[in-house]
Amino acid sequence: MTKAVERRGRKVPALDVARIREDFPGLGLAIRGHPLVYLDNAATSQKPHAVIEAEARFYREHCANVHRGVHYLSEKATSSYESARAKVARLLNAASPEEIVFTRGTTESINLVARTFGRSRVGAGDEVLITAMEHHSNIVPWQMLVEERGARLAVAPVDDRGQVVLEEFERLLTERTRVAAFVHVSNAVGTVNPVRQMVELARRRGVPTVVDGAQAVPHMPVDVAALGCDFYAFSSHKAFGPTGVGALWGRLEHLEAMPPYQGGGEMIRKVTFEKTEYAEPPFKFEAGTPNIAGAVGLGAAIDYLGAMDREAAAAHEADLLDAATAALGEVPGLRLIGTAAEKTGVVSFVIDGVHAHDVGTILDREGVAVRTGHHCAQPLMKRFGLAATARASFAFYNTREEVERLLAAIERVRQVFG
């Protein structure tokens, strides 16, 4: 058990990390003769037994399609699926489960908004405002839209610490701005954006906002009502749930006005050869058989997080970030990329004379898993004059000992390339 730590000026109870680690079978693996140190949580998280069992139980005990059957298994599957939707609504403090659309993840959620809500608002000469720290999934869909519509992508810059320049963000909100889309937490450098303030700046101009919450939901409470945004997207697999499923929250008035994203079964009320009448939200946006087991697993992940002291988990992650940042800052020839005042547990770095991929390869030989490359944020890498970084990202199940293992593995890199 870790010692109690201070968070926001007060002591927070210790998190029993050793106990928690028992819930995650992947953490017990041995890699290349070493106990695994899993520091690639920003790419995807490990899954607890409860999530793995929830998916397996669905397939064992009530495998059937949803919404379409009157038999017991279908009713049970539908109940489990819709229960998961209600859990997502509670997680985000949405007004109603009707505001929750199941998707394949953050990427599909943003594409859905761009191709429906965005297409209805953006025309020739208009602008969509994003920031320079966006993941490709919050760049490319808007880029495709503005190219199609004869519009323009405006980009708010970031400073040398990896923080959005708020004055520029505000200046770029003009009478031509039709949508502002920005990340809550940067996957590449861990910056926590002042989302509430950015939303308020946009709202003053009458600009609707789309927030990429993929990196926020696993690490902090998210309240869409308090944030005031119009859409919020996240992915299950980064929040200790299954891959291939996620959710889009949208204000109901927007979802009701938006056209369908795809056509097919499930999303209709009535079909004739002459005309189709569409279902109400959220079903209007869920064509075809959904990832039922994935939604059930996501519900189990939400239950797991709900049973945890989230403040203690956040304090533990902050402690790991502080320890790693301080220690890495003392390594000769190592430069940290992204030193924002507000961050989650991400340390992105480069080592003089060593390609990031070589860093990752040597760390892997020591059993330490990190992510290397551009992190689907090539414009941000260009902003820092880099092709790639090595990125270690923490979750509540990581430990101080694993930070020490990371440092020892980096020392091995320096020995090899020294």
Side-chain angles (χ1 to χ4, degrees), residues 35 39 78 104 209 237 239 306 308 325 350 354:
L39 301 178
T78 300
R104 288 183 295 124
T209 49
H237 73 97
M308 179 180 295
T325 301
V350 292
V354 188

Side-chain angles (χ1 to χ4, degrees), residues 171-191:
R171 185 184 66 80
L172 289 167
L173 288 164
T174 72
E175 66 279 357
R176 294 187 299 275
T177 310
R178 294 293 174 261
V179 179
F182 42 87
V183 68
H184 196 157
V185 176
S186 166
N187 74 300
V189 294
T191 302

Side-chain angles (χ1 to χ4, degrees), residues 52 66 75 85 89 103 164 212 220 228 335 349 368 373 411 415:
I52 298 167
V66 293
E75 290 176 348
R85 192 191 307 275
T103 64
V164 173
D212 169 359
M220 63 184 69
R335 178 162 61 103
F349 61 92
V368 179
E411 184 57 32
Q415 291 171 2

Side-chain angles (χ1 to χ4, degrees), residues 85 98 100-102 112 116 252-269 277-288:
R85 192 191 307 275
E98 294 174 315
I100 303 300
V101 179
F102 280 126
L112 190 163
T116 56
L252 189 57
E253 62 266 28
H254 293 327
L255 297 178
E256 289 174 337
M258 287 157 52
Y261 174 55
Q262 297 175 319
E266 285 284 319
M267 48 76 67
I268 55 86
R269 179 183 293 120
E277 297 177 12
Y278 304 119
E280 295 298 317
F283 308 110
K284 176 168 63 172
F285 303 104
E286 296 180 6

Side-chain angles (χ1 to χ4, degrees), residues 5-12 192 220 311 314-315 342:
V5 295
E6 192 168 288
R7 178 170 169 79
R8 305 192 188 281
R10 69 186 187 86
K11 289 291 185 180
V12 175
V192 180
M220 63 184 69
E311 188 175 15
E342 291 289 330

Side-chain angles (χ1 to χ4, degrees), residues 35-39 360 363-370 405-406 409:
L36 171 65
V37 175
Y38 187 79
L39 301 178
L363 264 58
D364 177 62
R365 290 174 182 168
E366 303 296 315
V368 179
V370 300
R405 286 273 309 280
L406 169 66

Side-chain angles (χ1 to χ4, degrees), residues 12-30:
V12 175
L15 194 69
D16 192 347
V17 180
R19 230 283 322 133
I20 287 170
R21 288 176 66 86
E22 295 174 0
D23 294 336
F24 291 83
L27 299 179
L29 296 174

Side-chain angles (χ1 to χ4, degrees), residues 10 17 122 129-130 165 216 235 279 320 362 372 392 397 400 402:
R10 69 186 187 86
V17 180
V122 177
L129 175 60
I130 63 172
V165 182
S235 299
L320 295 176
I362 294 174
T372 61
Y397 45 57
R400 279 286 194 106
E402 290 181 318

